[in-house]
Amino acid sequence: MPVAEITVPILWGIAAVSVLAGAFGAMLGLGGGIILVPLLIAVFSVETEAARFASLVAVCVTSLAGSLVYLREGVTDLVYAGYLQLPTIVGAVAGALIGSRLDATVVKVLFAALLLFVAWRLLRAKALPSARGANRGRWMAAGGACLGAGLLSSLLGVGGGLIFVPVLSLLLARPPRVAAATSTYLIGLTAAASALIYARAGQMDANIAVPAALGILVGAQVGARVSRFVPGLLLRRVFAAVMLVNAFLLIQTVLRNG
Amino acid sequence: MAEETEERHPLGRVTRMCVGAGLALFVLLALGSYFPWPEGFVGTLKADALITTFYTALAAAAVAGVELICRRHVWPGLSLLAAVALVLLAWFSGVTF
């Protein structure tokens, strides 16, 4: 969407949708980008590149705000974050370089596929046995998964928490809260790396990114407080429904505009 | 390995201060960009707010890397610093396909 077309109601609309994305994201331990990107594209007709950049900024801000709390509580495992950040950044830089040349339609289709996969996983979620310790093989697998998370994050503008949390809790045997805190820390630099490369490629739109980041920051605070009152199963079902609706809206946008 | 439910990670005090300062600056700049400043000022503030978040994430990672090395976690510290260096390299070189 060109800068000149942004009116005050659209600005408030973007902020409101970002609050919703931030609240949902915080309730599920995600950055919120997976909700924000399809809504910006489908509801506000924002260009795919601008939506992806806005989402990366929002994810970065959410990560900083969340890390502030988790670091104060001492639950972020910086040692594990240190080991995992390098492969993640390699993936993120590669993803941003590919993403800055990738056709917007391909990004939308990939995003719709990701949404459908997440919805399916949420509806069929069952507890997996976690590992008792981390050995060399598990670290190698974790590094590979983080490389993929970085790639996915920068290509689609999502945080990557969908991959980091299972890697940390299931592969590397971190407790759930430590896994969520460390994932929150990891997504910050990952999103910043991709956003910087997209900004360099001329895909930065501050008029969309700033209200989105402010909205998601507010939403994350609300979501963190509300989450304890919402039953987990209900939350998963509502989130899966939102993912399905978003996937439908994205596919509709692809069919309509290409 | 520490107890799974009770483990605490005392690292990150300086990192936390860095994140707090950067986040506060972002909120100030982002909210400030909506005040009726003179013509041409608003665009600058919005871009500055965004750049602040990226610098903060980079600085937080660099500081955490140094903190880890100081606490004798040399390899994870170096890994974090290498990640920051890679981001800066990709950004400043303007590498593209």
Side-chain angles (χ1 to χ4, degrees):
Chain A
M1 179 184 286
V3 173
E5 286 181 28
I6 295 187
T7 58
V8 174
I10 289 177
L11 199 74
W12 279 106
I14 290 172
V17 161
S18 305
V19 170
L20 189 77
F24 258 120
M27 281 192 257
L28 289 147
L30 307 171
I34 200 161
I35 308 167
L36 187 62
V37 174
L39 286 177
L40 284 178
I41 295 171
V43 179
F44 296 100
S45 304
V46 172
E47 283 172 8
T48 307
E49 293 81 1
R52 180 173 57 191
F53 180 82
S55 171
L56 286 169
V57 173
V59 166
C60 188
V61 170
T62 312
S63 160
L64 293 175
S67 293
L68 197 61
V69 177
Y70 285 133
L71 285 167
R72 190 186 303 137
E73 292 177 8
V75 280
T76 306
D77 194 332
L78 283 178
V79 175
Y80 275 61
Y83 282 123
L84 297 177
Q85 190 78 82
L86 187 57
T88 308
I89 290 299
V90 171
V93 170
L97 292 175
I98 297 166
S100 54
R101 304 283 294 185
L102 207 61
D103 187 63
T105 309
V106 179
V107 177
K108 285 182 205 167
V109 171
L110 284 175
F111 210 108
L114 176 72
L115 290 172
L116 291 173
F117 174 73
V118 172
W120 176 74
R121 287 281 302 170
L122 281 167
L123 290 173
R124 292 182 59 87
K126 50 183 172 187
L128 293 170
S130 78
R132 295 189 72 82
N135 56 30
R136 183 182 288 267
R138 286 183 182 276
W139 272 108
M140 296 290 281
C146 285
L147 191 89
L151 199 74
L152 191 78
S153 165
S154 56
L155 272 178
L156 305 181
V158 296
L162 283 169
I163 297 175
F164 289 134
V165 174
V167 162
L168 283 157
S169 59
L170 297 178
L171 269 179
L172 301 177
R174 299 284 79 199
R177 198 163 147 71
V178 174
T182 310
S183 164
T184 303
Y185 179 82
L186 282 167
I187 62 175
L189 187 62
T190 312
S194 317
L196 278 168
I197 293 172
Y198 287 132
R200 180 93 186 192
Q203 296 181 4
M204 174 167 132
D205 193 336
N207 289 298
I208 293 166
V210 169
L214 282 173
I216 220 161
L217 185 61
V218 173
Q221 307 301 316
V222 175
R225 282 160 180 77
V226 172
S227 64
R228 72 189 72 163
F229 304 111
V230 184
L233 186 65
L234 174 71
L235 192 62
R236 276 213 309 272
R237 285 181 178 163
V238 172
F239 190 65
V242 172
M243 295 290 99
L244 287 173
V245 170
N246 278 352
F248 172 75
L249 289 173
L250 262 187
I251 292 166
Q252 201 183 33
T253 314
V254 171
L255 293 175
R256 203 174 50 224
N257 307 328
Chain B
M1 192 176 294
E3 275 295 310
E4 292 222 334
T5 49
E6 294 298 326
E7 65 180 292
R8 285 284 179 270
H9 304 275
L11 278 164
R13 193 167 297 150
V14 188
T15 308
R16 198 177 75 214
M17 286 161 59
C18 179
V19 170
L23 199 60
L25 190 59
F26 162 75
V27 173
L28 272 177
L29 289 170
L31 291 177
S33 69
Y34 291 103
F35 281 102
W37 298 104
E39 192 68 31
F41 206 69
V42 176
T44 314
L45 272 185
K46 280 193 179 124
D48 289 346
L50 297 184
I51 293 295
T52 302
T53 61
F54 308 147
Y55 280 148
T56 304
L58 279 169
V63 168
V66 173
E67 230 181 331
L68 282 168
I69 291 170
C70 291
R71 299 287 189 98
R72 300 186 182 194
H73 297 288
V74 178
W75 289 111
L78 284 176
S79 170
L80 262 182
L81 291 178
V84 173
L86 184 63
V87 176
L88 291 175
L89 188 72
W91 183 29
F92 285 118
S93 68
V95 61
T96 183
F97 288 151

